[in-house]
Amino acid sequence: LGFTLAVQEKFPEAEKALRRAIEIDPHHSYALPNLGHMLLVSGRASEAVPIYRKVCELGPEGGMGGVPAKNAFDLALALRESGHPDEARKTVTEARTAFLRKLRGAEPDAQDTLLLAQLSAFLGDTDEAGAYLKRAEGALDDDPYLLVNAAEVCAGLGQAPRAVDLLKKALENGYQDPFFPVIMPDFLSIRKDPE
């Protein structure tokens, strides 16, 4: 219910429902991050920060989905939007270092490569981000989830038309939640784009 209300931009009602879900289950793997996403896109980044911190602290061992580096990326977006760019940069730098260490020199798959592109774009290293994106493009094919990941990178690089085109292609190829991009932190820069 909270998510449904959030994608309709009924933010006060969405917040109430998501907070109620968290009262019932404080570590709910959907309610907690979606509350952070909703707060961030509704212009309340400073309130999203502690929610994202909790998601990062709990991590996969605490029932949170996703990849720790991606959860750190969400936190960093909220930190940057709330006026803490230095801490945001430090958060992403540490997340990228830990992610590369976890790969241990292995060749990253397409999804990992796109996440590295996203982290590089956040840090302002557009050349490196572009190189990672190019490396992953051959594997995109018609995989709807990889297409969304590539759209996230393009949004972070300021390539709004390309990000929108990739999102459209992802939906055409079966991406299951056409509403999720509306509240995904990755698309904060393009969410008001009518396309």
mmCIF file of all heavy atoms in Angstrom, residues 120-170:
data_model
loop_
_atom_site.group_PDB
_atom_site.id
_atom_site.type_symbol
_atom_site.label_atom_id
_atom_site.label_comp_id
_atom_site.label_asym_id
_atom_site.label_seq_id
_atom_site.Cartn_x
_atom_site.Cartn_y
_atom_site.Cartn_z
ATOM 1 N N SER A 120 31.230 5.261 -10.346
ATOM 2 C CA SER A 120 32.195 6.167 -10.970
ATOM 3 C C SER A 120 31.520 7.465 -11.400
ATOM 4 O O SER A 120 32.076 8.549 -11.226
ATOM 5 C CB SER A 120 32.864 5.498 -12.174
ATOM 6 O OG SER A 120 33.611 4.377 -11.766
ATOM 7 N N ALA A 121 30.318 7.351 -11.956
ATOM 8 C CA ALA A 121 29.584 8.550 -12.372
ATOM 9 C C ALA A 121 29.294 9.440 -11.175
ATOM 10 O O ALA A 121 29.438 10.667 -11.251
ATOM 11 C CB ALA A 121 28.283 8.160 -13.077
ATOM 12 N N PHE A 122 28.918 8.826 -10.068
ATOM 13 C CA PHE A 122 28.635 9.608 -8.860
ATOM 14 C C PHE A 122 29.868 10.393 -8.423
ATOM 15 O O PHE A 122 29.772 11.531 -7.974
ATOM 16 C CB PHE A 122 28.175 8.690 -7.723
ATOM 17 C CG PHE A 122 27.754 9.444 -6.494
ATOM 18 C CD1 PHE A 122 26.434 9.786 -6.305
ATOM 19 C CD2 PHE A 122 28.672 9.818 -5.524
ATOM 20 C CE1 PHE A 122 26.033 10.504 -5.184
ATOM 21 C CE2 PHE A 122 28.295 10.520 -4.393
ATOM 22 C CZ PHE A 122 26.955 10.868 -4.221
ATOM 23 N N LEU A 123 31.029 9.770 -8.551
ATOM 24 C CA LEU A 123 32.274 10.403 -8.142
ATOM 25 C C LEU A 123 32.797 11.400 -9.173
ATOM 26 O O LEU A 123 33.839 12.009 -8.973
ATOM 27 C CB LEU A 123 33.339 9.329 -7.854
ATOM 28 C CG LEU A 123 33.024 8.433 -6.651
ATOM 29 C CD1 LEU A 123 34.005 7.264 -6.586
ATOM 30 C CD2 LEU A 123 33.032 9.223 -5.350
ATOM 31 N N GLY A 124 32.079 11.559 -10.271
ATOM 32 C CA GLY A 124 32.468 12.537 -11.279
ATOM 33 C C GLY A 124 33.473 12.030 -12.285
ATOM 34 O O GLY A 124 33.962 12.789 -13.115
ATOM 35 N N ASP A 125 33.775 10.741 -12.232
ATOM 36 C CA ASP A 125 34.720 10.162 -13.184
ATOM 37 C C ASP A 125 33.924 9.666 -14.391
ATOM 38 O O ASP A 125 33.663 8.472 -14.544
ATOM 39 C CB ASP A 125 35.511 9.024 -12.538
ATOM 40 C CG ASP A 125 36.707 8.606 -13.373
ATOM 41 O OD1 ASP A 125 36.697 8.886 -14.592
ATOM 42 O OD2 ASP A 125 37.637 8.004 -12.819
ATOM 43 N N THR A 126 33.547 10.605 -15.253
ATOM 44 C CA THR A 126 32.687 10.275 -16.384
ATOM 45 C C THR A 126 33.384 9.387 -17.415
ATOM 46 O O THR A 126 32.722 8.561 -18.049
ATOM 47 C CB THR A 126 32.150 11.549 -17.056
ATOM 48 O OG1 THR A 126 33.252 12.371 -17.436
ATOM 49 C CG2 THR A 126 31.248 12.324 -16.112
ATOM 50 N N ASP A 127 34.694 9.548 -17.572
ATOM 51 C CA ASP A 127 35.413 8.696 -18.520
ATOM 52 C C ASP A 127 35.376 7.238 -18.079
ATOM 53 O O ASP A 127 35.095 6.339 -18.879
ATOM 54 C CB ASP A 127 36.863 9.153 -18.687
ATOM 55 C CG ASP A 127 36.986 10.484 -19.416
ATOM 56 O OD1 ASP A 127 36.014 10.868 -20.113
ATOM 57 O OD2 ASP A 127 38.036 11.139 -19.303
ATOM 58 N N GLU A 128 35.671 7.010 -16.799
ATOM 59 C CA GLU A 128 35.643 5.641 -16.285
ATOM 60 C C GLU A 128 34.227 5.071 -16.343
ATOM 61 O O GLU A 128 34.019 3.923 -16.742
ATOM 62 C CB GLU A 128 36.176 5.599 -14.853
ATOM 63 C CG GLU A 128 36.242 4.189 -14.279
ATOM 64 C CD GLU A 128 36.917 4.155 -12.920
ATOM 65 O OE1 GLU A 128 36.207 4.354 -11.911
ATOM 66 O OE2 GLU A 128 38.136 3.949 -12.881
ATOM 67 N N ALA A 129 33.239 5.890 -15.959
ATOM 68 C CA ALA A 129 31.847 5.438 -16.003
ATOM 69 C C ALA A 129 31.453 5.073 -17.427
ATOM 70 O O ALA A 129 30.817 4.034 -17.662
ATOM 71 C CB ALA A 129 30.918 6.521 -15.454
ATOM 72 N N GLY A 130 31.845 5.909 -18.382
ATOM 73 C CA GLY A 130 31.540 5.638 -19.785
ATOM 74 C C GLY A 130 32.198 4.365 -20.279
ATOM 75 O O GLY A 130 31.596 3.603 -21.046
ATOM 76 N N ALA A 131 33.420 4.121 -19.831
ATOM 77 C CA ALA A 131 34.137 2.903 -20.232
ATOM 78 C C ALA A 131 33.443 1.660 -19.668
ATOM 79 O O ALA A 131 33.284 0.659 -20.377
ATOM 80 C CB ALA A 131 35.594 2.967 -19.769
ATOM 81 N N TYR A 132 33.024 1.725 -18.419
ATOM 82 C CA TYR A 132 32.291 0.600 -17.830
ATOM 83 C C TYR A 132 30.976 0.379 -18.573
ATOM 84 O O TYR A 132 30.601 -0.758 -18.867
ATOM 85 C CB TYR A 132 31.992 0.852 -16.347
ATOM 86 C CG TYR A 132 33.111 0.555 -15.386
ATOM 87 C CD1 TYR A 132 33.506 1.503 -14.444
ATOM 88 C CD2 TYR A 132 33.742 -0.687 -15.372
ATOM 89 C CE1 TYR A 132 34.520 1.224 -13.530
ATOM 90 C CE2 TYR A 132 34.751 -0.972 -14.462
ATOM 91 C CZ TYR A 132 35.138 -0.009 -13.544
ATOM 92 O OH TYR A 132 36.131 -0.290 -12.639
ATOM 93 N N LEU A 133 30.275 1.464 -18.869
ATOM 94 C CA LEU A 133 28.998 1.357 -19.572
ATOM 95 C C LEU A 133 29.197 0.710 -20.934
ATOM 96 O O LEU A 133 28.453 -0.199 -21.312
ATOM 97 C CB LEU A 133 28.359 2.744 -19.713
ATOM 98 C CG LEU A 133 27.014 2.814 -20.440
ATOM 99 C CD1 LEU A 133 25.967 1.972 -19.731
ATOM 100 C CD2 LEU A 133 26.560 4.274 -20.534
ATOM 101 N N LYS A 134 30.205 1.149 -21.643
ATOM 102 C CA LYS A 134 30.487 0.587 -22.970
ATOM 103 C C LYS A 134 30.808 -0.902 -22.869
ATOM 104 O O LYS A 134 30.373 -1.708 -23.695
ATOM 105 C CB LYS A 134 31.643 1.344 -23.616
ATOM 106 C CG LYS A 134 31.895 0.944 -25.045
ATOM 107 C CD LYS A 134 32.894 1.851 -25.708
ATOM 108 C CE LYS A 134 33.038 1.405 -27.156
ATOM 109 N NZ LYS A 134 33.622 2.388 -28.003
ATOM 110 N N ARG A 135 31.572 -1.274 -21.838
ATOM 111 C CA ARG A 135 31.938 -2.681 -21.654
ATOM 112 C C ARG A 135 30.692 -3.546 -21.415
ATOM 113 O O ARG A 135 30.626 -4.686 -21.857
ATOM 114 C CB ARG A 135 32.895 -2.817 -20.471
ATOM 115 C CG ARG A 135 33.475 -4.220 -20.338
ATOM 116 C CD ARG A 135 34.376 -4.416 -19.143
ATOM 117 N NE ARG A 135 35.314 -3.344 -18.915
ATOM 118 C CZ ARG A 135 35.997 -3.192 -17.785
ATOM 119 N NH1 ARG A 135 35.841 -4.043 -16.796
ATOM 120 N NH2 ARG A 135 36.831 -2.189 -17.637
ATOM 121 N N ALA A 136 29.708 -2.995 -20.729
ATOM 122 C CA ALA A 136 28.502 -3.771 -20.396
ATOM 123 C C ALA A 136 27.489 -3.802 -21.532
ATOM 124 O O ALA A 136 26.639 -4.695 -21.570
ATOM 125 C CB ALA A 136 27.848 -3.186 -19.149
ATOM 126 N N GLU A 137 27.570 -2.846 -22.452
ATOM 127 C CA GLU A 137 26.539 -2.724 -23.484
ATOM 128 C C GLU A 137 26.364 -3.985 -24.320
ATOM 129 O O GLU A 137 25.245 -4.316 -24.712
ATOM 130 C CB GLU A 137 26.815 -1.522 -24.387
ATOM 131 C CG GLU A 137 26.392 -0.231 -23.736
ATOM 132 C CD GLU A 137 26.706 0.993 -24.571
ATOM 133 O OE1 GLU A 137 27.521 0.907 -25.515
ATOM 134 O OE2 GLU A 137 26.123 2.041 -24.259
ATOM 135 N N GLY A 138 27.434 -4.687 -24.571
ATOM 136 C CA GLY A 138 27.338 -5.916 -25.357
ATOM 137 C C GLY A 138 26.501 -6.994 -24.703
ATOM 138 O O GLY A 138 25.942 -7.860 -25.379
ATOM 139 N N ALA A 139 26.391 -6.939 -23.384
ATOM 140 C CA ALA A 139 25.641 -7.962 -22.648
ATOM 141 C C ALA A 139 24.191 -7.560 -22.396
ATOM 142 O O ALA A 139 23.409 -8.363 -21.885
ATOM 143 C CB ALA A 139 26.335 -8.248 -21.317
ATOM 144 N N LEU A 140 23.828 -6.318 -22.725
ATOM 145 C CA LEU A 140 22.482 -5.848 -22.406
ATOM 146 C C LEU A 140 21.415 -6.648 -23.135
ATOM 147 O O LEU A 140 20.425 -7.057 -22.546
ATOM 148 C CB LEU A 140 22.316 -4.365 -22.748
ATOM 149 C CG LEU A 140 23.142 -3.375 -21.948
ATOM 150 C CD1 LEU A 140 22.838 -1.957 -22.395
ATOM 151 C CD2 LEU A 140 22.910 -3.518 -20.460
ATOM 152 N N ASP A 141 21.625 -6.854 -24.436
ATOM 153 C CA ASP A 141 20.644 -7.539 -25.273
ATOM 154 C C ASP A 141 19.250 -7.018 -24.946
ATOM 155 O O ASP A 141 18.998 -5.838 -25.031
ATOM 156 C CB ASP A 141 20.741 -9.060 -25.115
ATOM 157 C CG ASP A 141 22.082 -9.593 -25.600
ATOM 158 O OD1 ASP A 141 22.561 -9.081 -26.635
ATOM 159 O OD2 ASP A 141 22.635 -10.492 -24.948
ATOM 160 N N ASP A 142 18.378 -7.907 -24.550
ATOM 161 C CA ASP A 142 17.014 -7.497 -24.216
ATOM 162 C C ASP A 142 16.694 -7.795 -22.756
ATOM 163 O O ASP A 142 15.527 -7.921 -22.395
ATOM 164 C CB ASP A 142 16.018 -8.214 -25.135
ATOM 165 C CG ASP A 142 16.178 -7.776 -26.590
ATOM 166 O OD1 ASP A 142 16.497 -6.599 -26.813
ATOM 167 O OD2 ASP A 142 15.986 -8.612 -27.485
ATOM 168 N N ASP A 143 17.722 -7.920 -21.920
ATOM 169 C CA ASP A 143 17.508 -8.203 -20.503
ATOM 170 C C ASP A 143 16.924 -6.950 -19.838
ATOM 171 O O ASP A 143 17.596 -5.922 -19.736
ATOM 172 C CB ASP A 143 18.839 -8.578 -19.838
ATOM 173 C CG ASP A 143 18.674 -8.952 -18.386
ATOM 174 O OD1 ASP A 143 18.058 -8.175 -17.622
ATOM 175 O OD2 ASP A 143 19.174 -10.015 -17.991
ATOM 176 N N PRO A 144 15.675 -7.005 -19.391
ATOM 177 C CA PRO A 144 15.037 -5.800 -18.863
ATOM 178 C C PRO A 144 15.727 -5.225 -17.629
ATOM 179 O O PRO A 144 15.753 -4.005 -17.446
ATOM 180 C CB PRO A 144 13.608 -6.247 -18.552
ATOM 181 C CG PRO A 144 13.673 -7.727 -18.454
ATOM 182 C CD PRO A 144 14.788 -8.170 -19.337
ATOM 183 N N TYR A 145 16.313 -6.081 -16.804
ATOM 184 C CA TYR A 145 16.931 -5.597 -15.573
ATOM 185 C C TYR A 145 18.273 -4.923 -15.865
ATOM 186 O O TYR A 145 18.602 -3.896 -15.271
ATOM 187 C CB TYR A 145 17.040 -6.746 -14.562
ATOM 188 C CG TYR A 145 15.656 -7.217 -14.193
ATOM 189 C CD1 TYR A 145 15.081 -8.302 -14.849
ATOM 190 C CD2 TYR A 145 14.890 -6.527 -13.264
ATOM 191 C CE1 TYR A 145 13.777 -8.698 -14.564
ATOM 192 C CE2 TYR A 145 13.588 -6.912 -12.977
ATOM 193 C CZ TYR A 145 13.041 -7.995 -13.623
ATOM 194 O OH TYR A 145 11.745 -8.366 -13.343
ATOM 195 N N LEU A 146 19.024 -5.490 -16.799
ATOM 196 C CA LEU A 146 20.274 -4.842 -17.201
ATOM 197 C C LEU A 146 19.991 -3.526 -17.917
ATOM 198 O O LEU A 146 20.736 -2.547 -17.759
ATOM 199 C CB LEU A 146 21.105 -5.764 -18.088
ATOM 200 C CG LEU A 146 21.738 -6.980 -17.403
ATOM 201 C CD1 LEU A 146 22.482 -7.835 -18.421
ATOM 202 C CD2 LEU A 146 22.674 -6.554 -16.274
ATOM 203 N N LEU A 147 18.913 -3.480 -18.676
ATOM 204 C CA LEU A 147 18.541 -2.234 -19.346
ATOM 205 C C LEU A 147 18.215 -1.143 -18.325
ATOM 206 O O LEU A 147 18.600 0.015 -18.501
ATOM 207 C CB LEU A 147 17.357 -2.467 -20.290
ATOM 208 C CG LEU A 147 17.684 -3.270 -21.554
ATOM 209 C CD1 LEU A 147 16.402 -3.755 -22.228
ATOM 210 C CD2 LEU A 147 18.526 -2.449 -22.519
ATOM 211 N N VAL A 148 17.523 -1.502 -17.249
ATOM 212 C CA VAL A 148 17.236 -0.529 -16.188
ATOM 213 C C VAL A 148 18.539 -0.091 -15.526
ATOM 214 O O VAL A 148 18.738 1.100 -15.261
ATOM 215 C CB VAL A 148 16.239 -1.092 -15.153
ATOM 216 C CG1 VAL A 148 16.166 -0.200 -13.920
ATOM 217 C CG2 VAL A 148 14.857 -1.236 -15.777
ATOM 218 N N ASN A 149 19.439 -1.038 -15.258
ATOM 219 C CA ASN A 149 20.737 -0.690 -14.675
ATOM 220 C C ASN A 149 21.496 0.279 -15.571
ATOM 221 O O ASN A 149 22.105 1.248 -15.091
ATOM 222 C CB ASN A 149 21.588 -1.932 -14.423
ATOM 223 C CG ASN A 149 21.030 -2.848 -13.350
ATOM 224 O OD1 ASN A 149 21.249 -4.053 -13.379
ATOM 225 N ND2 ASN A 149 20.308 -2.301 -12.384
ATOM 226 N N ALA A 150 21.472 0.040 -16.878
ATOM 227 C CA ALA A 150 22.144 0.943 -17.818
ATOM 228 C C ALA A 150 21.466 2.314 -17.823
ATOM 229 O O ALA A 150 22.147 3.352 -17.912
ATOM 230 C CB ALA A 150 22.152 0.337 -19.217
ATOM 231 N N ALA A 151 20.148 2.336 -17.702
ATOM 232 C CA ALA A 151 19.422 3.607 -17.623
ATOM 233 C C ALA A 151 19.831 4.383 -16.373
ATOM 234 O O ALA A 151 19.969 5.614 -16.413
ATOM 235 C CB ALA A 151 17.913 3.351 -17.622
ATOM 236 N N GLU A 152 20.052 3.678 -15.269
ATOM 237 C CA GLU A 152 20.508 4.327 -14.034
ATOM 238 C C GLU A 152 21.845 5.028 -14.270
ATOM 239 O O GLU A 152 22.049 6.165 -13.826
ATOM 240 C CB GLU A 152 20.658 3.290 -12.922
ATOM 241 C CG GLU A 152 19.362 2.676 -12.459
ATOM 242 C CD GLU A 152 19.556 1.445 -11.577
ATOM 243 O OE1 GLU A 152 20.690 0.943 -11.433
ATOM 244 O OE2 GLU A 152 18.551 0.977 -11.030
ATOM 245 N N VAL A 153 22.751 4.339 -14.956
ATOM 246 C CA VAL A 153 24.063 4.921 -15.245
ATOM 247 C C VAL A 153 23.898 6.168 -16.104
ATOM 248 O O VAL A 153 24.486 7.220 -15.817
ATOM 249 C CB VAL A 153 24.993 3.901 -15.947
ATOM 250 C CG1 VAL A 153 26.297 4.568 -16.359
ATOM 251 C CG2 VAL A 153 25.258 2.704 -15.045
ATOM 252 N N CYS A 154 23.077 6.059 -17.148
ATOM 253 C CA CYS A 154 22.886 7.203 -18.047
ATOM 254 C C CYS A 154 22.273 8.391 -17.312
ATOM 255 O O CYS A 154 22.667 9.538 -17.543
ATOM 256 C CB CYS A 154 22.024 6.796 -19.236
ATOM 257 S SG CYS A 154 22.885 5.658 -20.347
ATOM 258 N N ALA A 155 21.345 8.135 -16.415
ATOM 259 C CA ALA A 155 20.766 9.221 -15.621
ATOM 260 C C ALA A 155 21.851 9.891 -14.779
ATOM 261 O O ALA A 155 21.909 11.121 -14.679
ATOM 262 C CB ALA A 155 19.641 8.700 -14.733
ATOM 263 N N GLY A 156 22.729 9.079 -14.202
ATOM 264 C CA GLY A 156 23.825 9.622 -13.389
ATOM 265 C C GLY A 156 24.841 10.402 -14.196
ATOM 266 O O GLY A 156 25.526 11.279 -13.673
ATOM 267 N N LEU A 157 24.935 10.083 -15.478
ATOM 268 C CA LEU A 157 25.859 10.800 -16.362
ATOM 269 C C LEU A 157 25.208 12.013 -17.019
ATOM 270 O O LEU A 157 25.826 12.685 -17.837
ATOM 271 C CB LEU A 157 26.382 9.847 -17.448
ATOM 272 C CG LEU A 157 27.358 8.777 -16.984
ATOM 273 C CD1 LEU A 157 27.603 7.748 -18.089
ATOM 274 C CD2 LEU A 157 28.676 9.420 -16.545
ATOM 275 N N GLY A 158 23.958 12.276 -16.668
ATOM 276 C CA GLY A 158 23.266 13.424 -17.246
ATOM 277 C C GLY A 158 22.753 13.179 -18.654
ATOM 278 O O GLY A 158 22.450 14.119 -19.387
ATOM 279 N N GLN A 159 22.629 11.919 -19.042
ATOM 280 C CA GLN A 159 22.147 11.554 -20.381
ATOM 281 C C GLN A 159 20.670 11.174 -20.295
ATOM 282 O O GLN A 159 20.278 10.020 -20.495
ATOM 283 C CB GLN A 159 22.972 10.398 -20.938
ATOM 284 C CG GLN A 159 24.444 10.699 -21.068
ATOM 285 C CD GLN A 159 25.271 9.468 -21.422
ATOM 286 O OE1 GLN A 159 24.749 8.375 -21.644
ATOM 287 N NE2 GLN A 159 26.581 9.651 -21.477
ATOM 288 N N ALA A 160 19.828 12.171 -20.002
ATOM 289 C CA ALA A 160 18.404 11.923 -19.767
ATOM 290 C C ALA A 160 17.700 11.240 -20.938
ATOM 291 O O ALA A 160 16.997 10.243 -20.717
ATOM 292 C CB ALA A 160 17.696 13.221 -19.388
ATOM 293 N N PRO A 161 17.855 11.708 -22.179
ATOM 294 C CA PRO A 161 17.124 11.036 -23.268
ATOM 295 C C PRO A 161 17.512 9.560 -23.413
ATOM 296 O O PRO A 161 16.639 8.704 -23.627
ATOM 297 C CB PRO A 161 17.531 11.829 -24.519
ATOM 298 C CG PRO A 161 17.939 13.171 -24.010
ATOM 299 C CD PRO A 161 18.555 12.899 -22.664
ATOM 300 N N ARG A 162 18.787 9.279 -23.261
ATOM 301 C CA ARG A 162 19.225 7.875 -23.375
ATOM 302 C C ARG A 162 18.681 7.041 -22.207
ATOM 303 O O ARG A 162 18.272 5.899 -22.384
ATOM 304 C CB ARG A 162 20.745 7.805 -23.414
ATOM 305 C CG ARG A 162 21.250 6.422 -23.712
ATOM 306 C CD ARG A 162 22.696 6.418 -24.113
ATOM 307 N NE ARG A 162 23.128 5.062 -24.415
ATOM 308 C CZ ARG A 162 24.297 4.580 -24.077
ATOM 309 N NH1 ARG A 162 25.192 5.339 -23.477
ATOM 310 N NH2 ARG A 162 24.629 3.347 -24.364
ATOM 311 N N ALA A 163 18.675 7.627 -21.006
ATOM 312 C CA ALA A 163 18.131 6.916 -19.844
ATOM 313 C C ALA A 163 16.659 6.579 -20.062
ATOM 314 O O ALA A 163 16.218 5.461 -19.788
ATOM 315 C CB ALA A 163 18.312 7.756 -18.580
ATOM 316 N N VAL A 164 15.902 7.538 -20.575
ATOM 317 C CA VAL A 164 14.479 7.315 -20.827
ATOM 318 C C VAL A 164 14.286 6.244 -21.900
ATOM 319 O O VAL A 164 13.440 5.355 -21.764
ATOM 320 C CB VAL A 164 13.782 8.641 -21.217
ATOM 321 C CG1 VAL A 164 12.367 8.386 -21.722
ATOM 322 C CG2 VAL A 164 13.750 9.596 -20.027
ATOM 323 N N ASP A 165 15.098 6.304 -22.956
ATOM 324 C CA ASP A 165 14.991 5.290 -24.017
ATOM 325 C C ASP A 165 15.272 3.888 -23.473
ATOM 326 O O ASP A 165 14.581 2.926 -23.823
ATOM 327 C CB ASP A 165 15.953 5.600 -25.165
ATOM 328 C CG ASP A 165 15.493 6.781 -26.013
ATOM 329 O OD1 ASP A 165 14.303 7.171 -25.905
ATOM 330 O OD2 ASP A 165 16.325 7.315 -26.775
ATOM 331 N N LEU A 166 16.290 3.776 -22.616
ATOM 332 C CA LEU A 166 16.612 2.468 -22.032
ATOM 333 C C LEU A 166 15.496 1.975 -21.111
ATOM 334 O O LEU A 166 15.180 0.783 -21.086
ATOM 335 C CB LEU A 166 17.945 2.531 -21.289
ATOM 336 C CG LEU A 166 19.176 2.610 -22.182
ATOM 337 C CD1 LEU A 166 20.405 3.035 -21.375
ATOM 338 C CD2 LEU A 166 19.433 1.274 -22.871
ATOM 339 N N LEU A 167 14.885 2.894 -20.360
ATOM 340 C CA LEU A 167 13.749 2.509 -19.514
ATOM 341 C C LEU A 167 12.582 2.008 -20.363
ATOM 342 O O LEU A 167 11.956 0.990 -20.046
ATOM 343 C CB LEU A 167 13.288 3.693 -18.659
ATOM 344 C CG LEU A 167 14.055 3.947 -17.380
ATOM 345 C CD1 LEU A 167 13.575 5.223 -16.713
ATOM 346 C CD2 LEU A 167 13.908 2.775 -16.417
ATOM 347 N N LYS A 168 12.311 2.703 -21.462
ATOM 348 C CA LYS A 168 11.229 2.271 -22.353
ATOM 349 C C LYS A 168 11.521 0.875 -22.900
ATOM 350 O O LYS A 168 10.636 0.016 -22.945
ATOM 351 C CB LYS A 168 11.065 3.266 -23.502
ATOM 352 C CG LYS A 168 10.407 4.564 -23.096
ATOM 353 C CD LYS A 168 10.291 5.492 -24.298
ATOM 354 C CE LYS A 168 9.655 6.805 -23.915
ATOM 355 N NZ LYS A 168 9.555 7.719 -25.069
ATOM 356 N N LYS A 169 12.757 0.652 -23.313
ATOM 357 C CA LYS A 169 13.136 -0.652 -23.856
ATOM 358 C C LYS A 169 13.003 -1.738 -22.779
ATOM 359 O O LYS A 169 12.560 -2.852 -23.056
ATOM 360 C CB LYS A 169 14.560 -0.613 -24.404
ATOM 361 C CG LYS A 169 14.936 -1.857 -25.176
ATOM 362 C CD LYS A 169 16.274 -1.722 -25.871
ATOM 363 C CE LYS A 169 16.599 -2.996 -26.629
ATOM 364 N NZ LYS A 169 17.931 -2.980 -27.214
ATOM 365 N N ALA A 170 13.395 -1.401 -21.542
ATOM 366 C CA ALA A 170 13.263 -2.365 -20.442
ATOM 367 C C ALA A 170 11.804 -2.753 -20.240
ATOM 368 O O ALA A 170 11.474 -3.937 -20.056
ATOM 369 C CB ALA A 170 13.847 -1.777 -19.152
#
